[in-house]
Amino acid sequence: MTDEATGPDLREGIRVSDLDDGALLAGRVDDEAVVLARKGDEFFAFSAFCTHYHGPLAEGRLDGDTIHCPWHHACFSLRTGNAHCAPALRPLRVYETMRDGDIVRVGSEVVQAAAQEMPSNDHIVIIGGGAAGAFAATELRRQGFGGRVTLLSRDERLPYDRPNLPKAYLAGRAPEEWMPLREQANYAAERIDLRLSTTVEEIDSAQRQLRLAGGEMLSFDRLILATGASPRHLDIPIDPTARVHYLRTWSDADALRAAAEGARRVVVIGASFIGLEAAASLRERGLEVTVIGAEERPLEKVLGSAVGEFIRRTHEEHGVRFRLGRRPAEIRARPVILDDGTAEACDLVVAGIGVVPELSLAQSAGLNVDRGIVVDAFLQTSVLHIFAAGDVARYPYEPTGARIRVEHWVAAGRQGQAAARNAMGLQEPFTTVPFFWSQHYDLVFAYVGHAERVDDVEMFGSLDDHNAAAVYRDGGHIAAVVTLYRDDVSLAVEAAVQQRDGDDAILNIVRRAFA
């Protein structure tokens, strides 16, 4: 996607009657690509591409005062351009609009005033530099919090775009400069005390203090736990000379890229999202790839048999071999020995068998922990001045009332934003619908909703034609919808689920799209 400006010259203007209410029009202002939006008798103009992955906003969805990106569902304010819903952090440029009778024109870029700061002597500390932590810190300043903000990260790198690691970065298509979410100067300008390579060893919830590695004590008024998750490790005999890699951090990805340079054959253990995305990237690098998975079809438990079979065929068409219905029994210096006694020769191994939430700090601090840090609708833990967000948080999911814990990067960022607002005392329940995407070569699947299990899958369109949707039911009710190259459907379903429109409304959206 480029920034090439096409469409009508919006400085010259268009007829009001040429833009329907709720419609979006791609155009240009001088050499800038700009989108003009209509909401009733109001008109809004803003930069044409999402500040996350450059999605074309003219193909997005207008909902109230918000524009939704079609690719990864970032949300921006029509009036200010502010990014108020992950995965975008940076705002859009906005332009003045002028109406003269039946003509509406777009003028100069509007310089937005900074958020009015609310003076405070409070200190909010965030533990964890992943999506939840990074978005929480930025949200505090976006909302005008004037107190101290400290972001503690064990990573030695600035907070970065984790979903890119097994995708374009591992494949070698994304340079290092694409990876950080923001530059060091941005944190400094917003007075966010970002401390990298910092480990918290203990939380004293009663005294509201943290003990850092090295002995430093750090006091806080409110705390946001965004400690994330760590890769689940293989529990089988492994030869110490075997080159086994896990992929969670930027450093992990660098190590795997370096190992791939001198390798010819790789075994990926785990037909998971991250395992299959890594397999696709390593095939792009020219390696021979074999995937070992316990399931009969990749991702069948999550996406169903039809989509799972399609994903298998897609990878096989790109040269990936599968050993499905098998588990690794032992990893020797070169081969991986399977549970049926057969061997798969390889130069290196990538394990993608899931993650484990980092709960030790929460447990030692006396927080209520049950397969995650238990939080309420405001992401508040059993200790009132401590909040939790991201992979560690187990929260009440409004559509079902059940507590869930999700491991999606976009969801983590949105939880971080919500936890930040509630740490400021805004008391906003977290009701956002989970969303994630998965890329396999040139195919991108978008998943909206949350299904703990799947009773029934109803398919629409054609997977082979790259124009499809799958509707998943849990207990007879629609729990999730997955689309392939139908961003319009994904956005509409997300809005319907968010508004609690019900199963019939969701099903009608999908049916109309594929009628």
Side-chain angles (χ1 to χ4, degrees), residues 80 82 111-117 141-144 190:
T80 66
N82 280 337
V111 177
Q112 295 296 325
Q116 184 174 357
E117 186 171 285
R141 292 308 189 210
R142 191 177 75 84
Q143 293 290 341
E190 293 183 354

Side-chain angles (χ1 to χ4, degrees), residues 105-142:
R105 296 182 175 87
V106 176
S108 302
E109 181 179 347
V110 178
V111 177
Q112 295 296 325
Q116 184 174 357
E117 186 171 285
M118 296 178 285
S120 174
N121 294 320
D122 287 348
H123 183 197
I124 297 179
V125 174
I126 304 160
I127 302 177
F135 278 88
T138 301
E139 184 69 6
L140 288 170
R141 292 308 189 210
R142 191 177 75 84

Side-chain angles (χ1 to χ4, degrees), residues 181-423:
L181 298 177
R182 311 179 80 204
E183 299 302 321
Q184 180 70 57
N186 298 125
Y187 295 99
E190 293 183 354
R191 295 179 293 110
I192 296 171
D193 182 9
L194 173 59
R195 304 192 192 184
L196 303 176
S197 302
T198 300
T199 300
V200 178
E201 294 189 337
E202 185 182 8
I203 300 171
D204 186 334
S205 57
Q207 296 299 316
R208 303 194 188 198
Q209 284 190 323
L210 306 176
R211 180 167 57 83
L212 309 183
E216 179 185 353
M217 302 299 294
L218 185 66
S219 297
F220 62 87
D221 293 288
R222 284 173 299 286
L223 180 68
I224 298 175
L225 284 175
T227 45
S230 297
R232 190 182 302 278
H233 281 236
L234 293 163
D235 187 21
I236 57 175
I238 300 176
D239 188 293
T241 64
R243 296 197 294 171
V244 178
H245 291 261
Y246 298 88
L247 183 52
R248 180 69 179 176
T249 67
W250 191 348
S251 296
D252 292 339
D254 282 342
L256 183 53
R257 292 209 315 182
E261 289 295 330
R264 184 167 67 90
R265 293 175 294 190
V266 58
V267 165
V268 176
I269 298 175
S272 60
F273 284 109
I274 194 167
L276 292 173
E277 288 174 353
S281 294
L282 292 169
R283 278 299 297 145
E284 287 189 53
R285 299 184 76 94
L287 277 71
E288 298 175 19
V289 179
T290 299
V291 175
I292 299 170
E295 309 91 343
E296 292 185 12
R297 300 175 183 85
L299 301 173
E300 183 174 17
K301 290 183 179 179
V302 181
L303 300 180
S305 59
V307 179
E309 181 64 20
F310 173 71
I311 288 175
R312 181 189 64 78
R313 292 201 313 271
T314 298
H315 281 270
E316 288 180 338
E317 288 167 1
H318 285 82
V320 173
R321 291 179 60 244
F322 283 94
R323 294 296 308 275
L324 297 171
R326 299 265 65 91
R327 299 177 185 273
E330 179 184 0
I331 299 177
R332 296 177 183 169
R334 290 290 179 179
V336 175
I337 309 301
L338 305 187
D339 55 1
D340 63 354
T342 59
E344 290 292 341
C346 60
D347 303 306
L348 67 148
V349 175
V350 180
I353 55 173
V355 297
V356 179
E358 292 279 5
L359 303 175
S360 57
L361 276 175
Q363 290 172 323
S364 63
L367 304 185
N368 186 6
V369 172
D370 176 18
R371 295 169 291 164
I373 302 173
V374 177
V375 295
D376 63 13
F378 303 100
L379 303 181
Q380 196 166 38
T381 72
S382 53
V383 176
L384 298 184
H385 54 270
I386 300 180
F387 299 79
D391 293 354
V392 293
R394 191 167 180 82
Y395 68 98
Y397 183 45
E398 191 175 54
T400 64
R403 288 190 182 278
I404 65 171
R405 187 180 66 82
V406 295
E407 298 169 355
H408 311 322
W409 194 79
V410 172
R414 293 175 177 179
Q415 285 183 33
Q417 291 171 317
R421 293 191 292 269
N422 289 321

